[in-house]
Amino acid sequence: MRPPSMRPTTTPPRPLTGLATMLDAEPGSARSPHAALTGVTIDSRQVTRGDLYVAVRGQQVHGASFAREALSRGAVAVLTDPAGREEAAATGLPVLVVPDPRALLGQVASWVYGQPAHDVQVLGVTGTSGKSTTTFLLEAGLRAAGHTAGVVGGVEIRVGDDRFPARLTTPEASDLHGLFALMRERGVTAAAMEVSSHALALGRVDGVFYDVALFTNLSQDHLDFHKDLDDYFATKARLFQPEMSRVGVTNFDDPYGRELLSRAKVPMTTFSALGDPAADWRALDTRLGADGSTFRVVGPGGVEADAQIALPGPFNVANALGAVVTLVEAGVTLQTAVHGIASLTGVPGRMERVTGPGEDFQAVVDYSHKPGAVESVLRSLREVTAGSLTVVLGCGGDRDTGKRPLMGEAAARLADVAIFTSDNPRSEDPLSILAAMMEGALRVPQHDRAHVIIEPDRAAAIDLAIGRAERGDVVVVAGKGHEQGQYISGEVIPFDDREVVAEAIAARKESRKHA
């Protein structure tokens, strides 16, 4: 259940008649036609007193079926479609009827909360990989510039110094505008926000205007939702239109990042972590290390600054450079931007080291759960691996099945040992998922292929990987990152890779002590 503090403490009441006029929909009911609105939600369980309940058609049940529950929790009006009119009207509440209420949800929520996103400078980040890390880097830069900052993303939500758990990469439009209203109430002046393709396609970000929009990269993901890769890319490109953003920043090293230059309809700035002289901003003299990287930022007109980040891997140089350029486009000075990103010590579940001082190997937990991310992480860790590189990897059930052989192939090609295991199998048979991963692994010639081990039990797979580790080795547990549960057959079982890795390390120490 959403914590009450995810909404503002108080909201000036907005008249239902004003909303009806905006939507050109007269409230049909004998009771309370002049209701005052102080909130909005599409989830009847989340209704609080004064809410407008938006009853939309679900996959199995129409939201109007829960209108009575919404009434019992304090809803003062219902917005629905013609199919939900009768059930909604049976509550006696005023009912506004429009053809597609979900399509208007962002506009409605913004109006109810008084356009709160207009009072916060919003920096949006879209792409397949790197969104979470980049938003944390942006937040660090915003704080360095003197902003009271916020973050909206899949790892967690931050409002100043307060943190809240995240349920979706990008919240529903009704929740999002309530969150911006909370930010405004708490004095937040700027926020960094992940913008997923689902959010763009489903209208979750309607009513939000981005001061700067950043594109990180694109690789195969979410093809259970999008019809193909081009549809996936076209959806992300919507963010770079004048009605959604002021200016855009794009990764010139990524083929889709370059293609975005021809699709975007706002001014675009390019960056290259590989130092491509054709890009507006470049990273030069990059030095990679196990604990982070240093590089020189060079921009238009020869402007430059030395930068460092505490996040390992060349892909994090790209994330950091993208964040710096976005901050500069948002009005932050270059020196302040590089100072800000240097202050970020880590991101939960993103190349997060679990081993501490005194260990003779490294254990890392990472969220990489798509082919491009798995490849990037393994290539990055190979550069700092003195011994053997082991990956523990699974694929989620009820999701894009085409990723599975690609991820299996990447693991078998780039690691020394690949332990295939369960991730979040959901309703699927874990063994069928593992078979698809193995299909990809077998595409790698045997003499180049990692030693592949199948262990469906994730805890056992992690224990096996840590138990095998020797001096100089690196073990990466990939796929779940910051997640604290495992979805199996309709249940969520408590499971945190970081805790399981730490327990395996403790067990390894104990066994070697008595060996």
Side-chain angles (χ1 to χ4, degrees):
M1 182 175 291
R2 180 182 59 197
S5 55
M6 285 286 285
R7 290 190 187 189
T9 305
T10 58
T11 302
R14 304 299 300 267
L16 178 63
T17 52
L19 179 62
T21 299
M22 183 180 78
L23 299 178
D24 192 24
E26 287 301 317
S29 176
R31 185 166 68 166
S32 305
H34 301 293
L37 308 173
T38 55
V40 57
T41 183
I42 63 170
D43 188 340
S44 61
R45 299 165 298 180
Q46 302 295 329
V47 169
T48 60
R49 188 165 302 280
D51 272 1
L52 170 72
Y53 173 53
V54 183
V56 299
R57 185 186 299 277
Q59 291 184 341
Q60 298 178 334
V61 181
H62 197 290
S65 299
F66 305 102
R68 288 192 180 277
E69 180 184 1
L71 169 64
S72 70
R73 293 178 180 273
V76 297
V78 179
L79 173 65
T80 191
D81 57 22
R85 182 199 305 264
E86 186 174 339
E87 279 192 284
T91 63
L93 290 174
V95 179
L96 302 181
V97 179
V98 295
D100 186 358
R102 179 174 280 282
L104 298 172
L105 186 59
Q107 178 186 353
V108 168
S110 179
W111 183 87
V112 169
Y113 288 111
Q115 288 79 43
H118 294 181
D119 298 321
V120 178
Q121 185 183 34
V122 186
L123 311 181
V125 184
T126 197
T128 302
S129 301
K131 295 189 297 296
S132 295
T133 298
T134 302
T135 55
F136 276 71
L137 288 162
L138 288 171
E139 183 206 28
L142 291 170
R143 286 178 179 266
H147 285 282
T148 299
V151 169
V152 183
V155 176
E156 63 184 12
I157 292 170
R158 297 186 180 186
V159 179
D161 293 329
D162 294 326
R163 302 181 181 189
F164 308 95
R167 292 189 301 166
L168 298 170
T169 300
T170 310
E172 287 285 0
S174 50
D175 295 328
L176 182 60
H177 288 282
L179 177 60
F180 277 123
L182 174 63
M183 288 187 182
R184 179 176 60 190
E185 183 178 81
R186 299 277 183 88
V188 170
T189 53
M193 178 180 170
E194 294 185 49
V195 185
S196 68
S197 61
H198 286 69
L200 289 161
L202 298 174
R204 292 179 190 160
V205 292
D206 288 357
V208 180
F209 184 79
Y210 297 88
D211 191 57
V212 188
L214 167 63
F215 179 86
T216 59
N217 52 64
L218 192 121
S219 62
Q220 182 170 328
D221 198 17
H222 302 306
L223 295 192
D224 53 326
F225 180 79
H226 299 282
K227 63 181 181 181
D228 54 33
L229 202 57
D230 190 64
D231 177 60
Y232 177 39
F233 175 57
T235 302
K236 288 189 175 292
R238 294 182 195 176
L239 185 59
F240 300 87
Q241 307 304 313
E243 62 272 18
M244 295 209 69
S245 60
R246 178 181 63 86
V247 297
V249 173
T250 188
N251 182 358
F252 197 73
D253 297 328
D254 184 82
Y256 286 97
R258 292 193 296 275
E259 185 178 340
L260 183 60
L261 295 172
S262 62
R263 297 205 189 192
K265 302 301 180 184
V266 297
M268 298 293 294
T269 299
T270 59
F271 68 92
S272 169
L274 300 179
D276 192 321
D280 299 315
W281 291 83
R282 304 175 300 284
L284 301 178
D285 303 330
T286 300
R287 296 185 179 182
L288 304 173
D291 298 318
S293 304
T294 62
F295 56 98
R296 185 159 48 94
V297 179
V298 178
V303 62
E304 62 180 71
D306 291 328
Q308 61 179 7
I309 51 170
L311 309 173
F315 60 92
N316 275 321
V317 174
N319 291 334
L321 181 59
V324 167
V325 176
T326 300
L327 289 163
V328 171
E329 289 290 343
V332 178
T333 67
L334 176 58
Q335 289 295 337
T336 300
V338 297
H339 173 71
I341 66 166
S343 69
L344 181 67
T345 57
V347 180
R350 301 322 193 256
M351 291 287 274
E352 185 174 352
R353 292 180 65 175
V354 182
T355 39
E359 295 292 345
D360 59 3
F361 75 103
Q362 293 185 57
V364 176
V365 169
D366 191 75
Y367 189 53
S368 43
H369 60 287
K370 56 207 77 171
V374 171
E375 181 149 348
S376 294
V377 164
L378 292 178
R379 287 190 182 280
S380 296
L381 291 174
R382 173 62 70 192
E383 297 185 22
V384 296
T385 302
S388 178
L389 176 60
T390 297
V391 60
V392 178
L393 180 68
C395 295
D398 301 334
R399 296 295 186 267
D400 180 4
T401 59
K403 294 193 304 183
R404 297 168 187 177
L406 298 177
M407 291 170 64
E409 186 273 336
R413 175 167 46 87
L414 297 171
D416 297 304
V417 179
I419 304 178
F420 293 168
T421 189
S422 295
D423 188 311
N424 294 317
R426 298 184 175 87
S427 69
E428 288 195 62
D429 177 2
L431 295 180
S432 69
I433 298 174
L434 292 168
M437 295 178 66
M438 196 64 202
E439 176 189 331
L442 293 175
R443 296 173 187 170
V444 181
Q446 187 171 2
H447 61 276
D448 293 326
R449 188 191 311 151
H451 175 49
V452 180
I453 301 171
I454 304 293
E455 173 48 74
D457 184 295
R458 190 172 183 89
I462 291 172
D463 190 62
L464 176 62
I466 298 299
R468 291 171 54 99
E470 300 291 344
R471 179 181 297 275
D473 288 357
V474 174
V475 175
V476 56
V477 179
K480 291 178 60 60
H482 65 285
E483 294 178 357
Q484 296 178 17
Q486 193 172 19
Y487 295 77
I488 302 175
S489 301
E491 294 186 57
V492 182
I493 298 169
F495 198 102
D496 187 323
D497 278 351
R498 295 163 295 185
E499 292 180 359
V500 177
V501 169
E503 291 167 1
I505 291 172
R508 175 181 182 270
K509 280 183 178 179
E510 192 64 25
S511 66
R512 298 202 171 197
K513 185 189 303 182
H514 299 291

